[in-house]
Amino acid sequence: MATMFLVVIYLAFISLGIPDSLLGSAWPVIRPDIGASFGFAGILSMIVAGGTIVSSLASGRLVQRAGTGKITLISCCLTAGALLGFSMAPSMIWLILLAVPLGLGGGAIDAALNHYVSENYKAHHMNWLHCFWGVGATLGPIIMSFYIAEHNSWRDGYSTVSMIQFTLAIVLLVTLPLWKRVAAIKEAEGPNSENPQDQVGELIQPAASSKANVLQINGVKPTLIAFLFYCGVESTAGLWGASYLVGARNMTAETAAGWISLYYGGITVGRLITGFITMKIHNRVLIRCGQIIAIAGGVMLLLPLPQVFLVGLILIGIGLAPIYPGLLHETPARFGRENSAKLMGFQMAVAYTGSTFLPPLFGLLASQMTINLFPFIVLAFIVLMMLSTEQVNRILK
């Protein structure tokens, strides 16, 4: 039953990923339809991510009171309702108001499911969990591209995704009693065994629990910086990639949305494969390899050669795949299990801060200067992320 229940959890993470990629792929069409400025997508993204930060920080207390199943169900209904509202929004003001419940719902699902899987399932499921987020993020632009091309309507794309969310809410309602039952089964089985790669990994700071303030632990601050720039580059590429392809590379909106789906597809396939590789190779090696691949993709974005820059966009997605779940999974090994719960909250809050502020800052910069800065900013974020993680490795070696 616990294994079958994973299907429900994976479906929930698919539902989390679909809305994350909708706005960026639809924005070239939404903007003229509602009369918004170019950089307004950054403001909407910031509001959504701000709601995500708030709900993720509050999720621990909410899960203790109501349970993971109920919080996931309520959050799914919130996002479904917000997406339905997006499809009918007559003006920018309505989009701003609806972005609040969209962010609150998404953040609660993310934090609650990450906590549930980390407590009740083996480590490689974390990669696969985030892989299914990528499935959703890949489906989002595909759905939107279809409705833009066939019906010339971004609103139908949002309403379709809303119906998918409401369907999932029904599934969650039916399976609500299973959440506590599966957790009880897993608790009876005992703690999850570690992967082979975890057993050979060093417990870097066995005395880290003596720190009253987890931010004072060696390596924590550059780790948080790495999370900041990881979510910064992932969100910036997803939000502004289509606008760059339309504005700088002269693509149609539906073609650009299709290529953004391939970017998210790279993240998805990469995490699927990484879930198997983590059984043999340490997270730290995979994180470094992913960053090198992402940098190579960023360099390719700069090249003026036809189609090469599109391959670069996909490579960035593939490179990003192992980084986020790998960094999350490294937390107890690097900083002590006593500190991992508190640090997980800090890491996710900082990650969402990157999603909140860095994409709109780029949108402001692009609106004042040019969208052609997109590949330079993306590459700079990737390099800063890699420098931060390498600093952590040097500190804790």
Side-chain angles (χ1 to χ4, degrees), residues 8-22 48 71-86 98 101-110 113 132-133 135-137 139-140 143 156-174:
V8 176
I9 297 175
Y10 289 155
L11 286 174
F13 238 66
I14 290 174
S15 79
L16 179 66
I18 294 177
D20 285 355
S21 58
L22 275 185
V48 171
I71 294 303
T72 305
L73 172 61
I74 294 170
S75 300
C76 187
C77 291
L78 268 179
T79 57
L83 290 167
L84 184 61
F86 260 68
L98 291 164
L102 184 61
L104 291 173
I109 293 174
D110 196 2
L113 292 182
F132 278 91
W133 171 88
V135 171
L139 286 174
I143 293 170
D156 288 347
Y158 268 100
S159 62
T160 298
V161 172
S162 173
M163 293 304 104
I164 293 172
Q165 298 281 83
F166 277 120
T167 302
L168 176 64
I170 295 172
V171 174
L172 290 171
L173 180 62
V174 172

Side-chain angles (χ1 to χ4, degrees), residues 44-54 56 99 103 352-357:
L44 282 178
S45 175
M46 183 171 65
I47 295 170
V48 171
T52 304
I53 293 171
V54 172
S56 64
Y352 289 133
T353 300
S355 301
T356 304
F357 293 106

Side-chain angles (χ1 to χ4, degrees), residues 5-188:
F5 188 58
L6 270 174
V7 175
V8 176
I9 297 175
Y10 289 155
L11 286 174
F13 238 66
I14 290 174
S15 79
L16 179 66
I18 294 177
D20 285 355
S21 58
L22 275 185
L23 181 61
S25 57
W27 189 245
V29 181
I30 295 175
R31 185 175 67 85
D33 189 32
I34 64 172
S37 63
F38 179 81
F40 186 72
I43 297 174
L44 282 178
S45 175
M46 183 171 65
I47 295 170
V48 171
T52 304
I53 293 171
V54 172
S55 59
S56 64
L57 289 174
S59 65
R61 187 175 300 175
L62 293 174
V63 167
Q64 286 181 342
R65 288 184 178 181
T68 304
K70 289 181 181 178
I71 294 303
T72 305
L73 172 61
I74 294 170
S75 300
C76 187
C77 291
L78 268 179
T79 57
L83 290 167
L84 184 61
F86 260 68
S87 70
M88 299 182 289
S91 65
M92 293 181 289
I93 297 298
W94 281 99
L95 292 180
I96 291 173
L97 293 175
L98 291 164
V100 176
L102 184 61
L104 291 173
I109 293 174
D110 196 2
L113 292 182
N114 273 298
H115 171 73
Y116 190 86
V117 171
S118 66
E119 280 203 341
N120 298 296
Y121 291 93
K122 293 182 180 180
H124 56 269
H125 288 296
M126 182 68 78
N127 272 285
W128 291 335
L129 184 70
H130 288 272
C131 165
F132 278 91
W133 171 88
V135 171
T138 304
L139 286 174
I142 291 174
I143 293 170
M144 186 58 68
S145 176
F146 170 79
Y147 280 103
I148 291 174
E150 299 296 326
H151 302 279
N152 194 30
S153 173
W154 60 271
R155 296 181 185 276
D156 288 347
Y158 268 100
S159 62
T160 298
V161 172
S162 173
M163 293 304 104
I164 293 172
Q165 298 281 83
F166 277 120
T167 302
L168 176 64
I170 295 172
V171 174
L172 290 171
L173 180 62
V174 172
T175 58
L176 197 57
L178 294 180
W179 292 87
K180 289 185 179 180
R181 196 179 305 171
V182 170
I185 292 172
K186 288 293 184 177
E187 186 176 354

Side-chain angles (χ1 to χ4, degrees), residues 175-209:
T175 58
L176 197 57
L178 294 180
W179 292 87
K180 289 185 179 180
R181 196 179 305 171
V182 170
I185 292 172
K186 288 293 184 177
E187 186 176 354
E189 291 176 354
N192 292 321
S193 59
E194 299 295 329
N195 287 337
Q197 59 97 354
D198 298 318
Q199 295 173 359
V200 300
E202 316 130 58
L203 182 57
I204 305 289
Q205 297 187 81
S209 59

Side-chain angles (χ1 to χ4, degrees), residues 284-352:
R284 209 168 307 145
V285 176
L286 292 174
I287 291 169
R288 182 177 290 142
C289 290
Q291 289 168 338
I292 292 172
I293 293 171
I295 287 175
V299 171
M300 292 177 72
L301 273 183
L302 296 171
L303 300 177
L305 302 175
Q307 306 304 317
V308 171
F309 64 91
L310 294 172
V311 176
L313 193 63
I314 298 172
L315 277 181
I316 290 173
I318 294 172
L320 292 179
I323 299 172
Y324 188 69
L327 288 174
L328 286 174
H329 188 248
E330 281 288 282
T331 303
R334 285 180 163 177
F335 306 115
R337 294 188 180 278
E338 298 84 354
N339 301 306
S340 64
K342 187 180 291 186
L343 276 174
M344 196 71 77
F346 277 113
Q347 288 172 167
M348 296 192 74
V350 171
Y352 289 133

